[in-house]
Amino acid sequence: MNILISGGSGFIGQTLSQYLQDAQGTEQDSQYSDTHITWLTRDASQPHPSFVSLMSYEQLQTTQSTFDVIVNLAGAGIADKRWSDERKQLLLQSRLKPTQALLDYISRTSVKPKLLLSGSAIGWYGDQGETPLDESSRFEDKGDADFAHQLCEAWEAKAKQALDFKVPVVILRTGIVIHPSGGMLAKILPAFKMGLGGQLGDGNQIMSWISLNDWVRAAVHIMAQHTANEHYADSTVYNLTAPHPLSNAVFTQVVGSWLKRPTFMTLPKAVLKLMFGEMSGLLIEGQKVLPKHLLDTGFVFKHTALKQALMAQKLS
């Protein structure tokens, strides 16, 4: 199986690539016994594992190579910097331009991919408090500009254009991915290790999370489901979140307990808004997102509790 990954050098893409490589020859993932992985990149000289090939966007325009599955994860980190107008444009274009390049490739290649998996986030649902949300739930428009939703919606709509070329599309709405090497956890660990960790705002906002291991396992499970069954012919949404979301207050307590550090600090909403501006919504708003579709396909999580997921990790 030939797999093309945009954003392959990122936090999730690297782990997915390694998982697919390690799965070769195992009975559980025999479908991937002869897998070749290519990263789509703007820098063809970047460091990469020996089992990965690199393809530039320029090469994609003329390549005769064919791919069974395309995984579209490219995009600048949404929480890396304060949201200025310029930053918002970068966040949007860093997702739409790679996706358009993939659509251009799909449109001209004679052998179409069996599947396009494209990233998104649970921010698509907007701030809906403690309302349980599954893949059938809709965005609740409260009349305010919601950039996280707008970003996800634009990215999803662009990816779904692959349906015009008879390529099935899977949208992966991802929650907070838990691993010490990246994502939110890597950003907050230094403060927590120093005993400066604490809840954000009132701590009531719901955090829908998933361990990095389960995210990768889920993506591969979905890949297998959709490439093996022809009845998956349209677009499908999966929430990539663990079955048990929890409040920010509980999240804070669990992380503190894992590190054996106090968590007395609190950052009031007003301070967060002053520090991060519009981006503070990512920290003080939440969604109770449930992985109904994933569970319906028979996927079994390894980490259903946050403490369980954290204890499985090694700290440097």
Side-chain angles (χ1 to χ4, degrees):
M1 177 176 287
N2 289 328
I3 301 176
L4 177 66
I5 305 177
S6 72
S9 63
F11 166 52
I12 294 176
Q14 288 192 52
T15 308
L16 174 61
S17 301
Q18 188 65 58
Y19 184 94
L20 289 167
Q21 173 68 12
D22 294 345
Q24 298 197 47
T26 65
E27 290 186 9
Q28 181 179 2
D29 293 296
S30 58
Q31 181 177 356
Y32 304 100
S33 60
D34 185 23
T35 296
H36 185 265
I37 300 165
T38 302
W39 287 357
L40 185 61
T41 177
R42 300 196 181 282
D43 180 9
S45 65
Q46 70 173 321
H48 60 282
S50 58
F51 60 83
V52 168
S53 298
L54 296 184
M55 177 178 289
S56 69
Y57 282 87
E58 290 74 16
Q59 290 171 322
L60 184 68
Q61 295 175 9
T62 58
T63 185
Q64 298 303 309
S65 299
T66 60
F67 300 98
D68 300 288
V69 176
I70 296 176
V71 184
N72 181 28
L73 302 176
I78 190 170
D80 287 354
K81 294 182 181 180
R82 191 182 178 101
W83 290 350
S84 62
D85 289 343
E86 183 179 4
R87 181 65 182 176
K88 285 182 178 181
Q89 276 302 305
L90 175 63
L91 291 171
L92 183 61
Q93 294 307 317
S94 67
R95 288 159 172 77
L96 298 189
K97 286 184 177 179
T99 306
Q100 185 60 57
L102 292 171
L103 291 170
D104 293 341
Y105 163 77
I106 290 171
S107 70
R108 69 171 183 79
T109 186
S110 57
V111 180
K112 307 298 183 189
K114 297 177 182 178
L115 181 65
L116 169 64
L117 280 83
S118 194
S120 186
I122 59 172
W124 183 91
Y125 295 102
D127 177 19
Q128 300 199 45
E130 297 188 17
T131 302
L133 305 169
D134 62 27
E135 291 84 356
S136 66
S137 302
R138 297 185 178 184
F139 167 63
E140 184 175 328
D141 188 352
K142 297 180 179 180
D144 297 322
D146 189 327
F147 176 69
H149 169 78
Q150 294 167 7
L151 180 65
C152 293
E153 177 65 15
W155 196 12
E156 292 185 14
K158 176 64 72 173
K160 288 177 184 178
Q161 292 179 21
L163 297 171
D164 296 339
F165 308 106
K166 310 300 182 186
V167 175
V169 176
V170 164
I171 301 296
L172 305 175
R173 289 183 184 155
T174 298
I176 299 167
V177 181
I178 298 296
H179 194 274
S181 67
M184 175 186 177
L185 189 59
K187 288 182 171 66
I188 67 173
L189 273 180
F192 272 78
K193 287 179 178 179
M194 291 188 292
L196 301 176
Q199 73 182 38
L200 305 176
D202 59 18
N204 292 328
Q205 65 273 36
I206 302 298
M207 301 176 67
S208 298
W209 62 276
I210 185 171
S211 72
L212 177 58
N213 179 267
D214 275 339
W215 191 101
V216 168
R217 291 178 57 249
V220 174
H221 171 83
I222 292 167
M223 200 182 299
Q225 290 275 317
H226 284 254
T227 55
N229 296 283
E230 294 183 358
H231 67 275
Y232 290 111
D234 204 338
S235 66
T236 313
V237 173
Y238 286 87
N239 292 332
L240 264 56
T241 58
H244 303 299
L246 69 178
S247 70
N248 175 258
V250 173
F251 179 93
T252 300
Q253 293 168 6
V254 172
V255 174
S257 173
W258 170 54
L259 295 172
K260 298 182 173 59
R261 295 290 189 274
T263 55
F264 300 127
M265 302 291 289
T266 297
L267 276 175
K269 288 185 180 181
V271 174
L272 289 167
K273 289 180 179 180
L274 184 64
M275 291 172 62
F276 301 107
E278 186 180 353
M279 194 184 78
S280 64
L282 296 177
L283 306 175
I284 59 181
E285 299 173 356
Q287 304 90 12
K288 187 176 184 178
V289 179
L290 306 175
K292 181 179 184 301
H293 199 172
L294 190 56
L295 292 172
D296 287 347
T297 66
F299 180 76
V300 177
F301 283 84
K302 282 190 175 181
H303 305 128
T304 56
L306 179 63
K307 186 66 174 287
Q308 176 191 32
L310 294 171
M311 293 300 292
Q313 313 302 336
K314 293 181 180 179
L315 281 173
S316 57

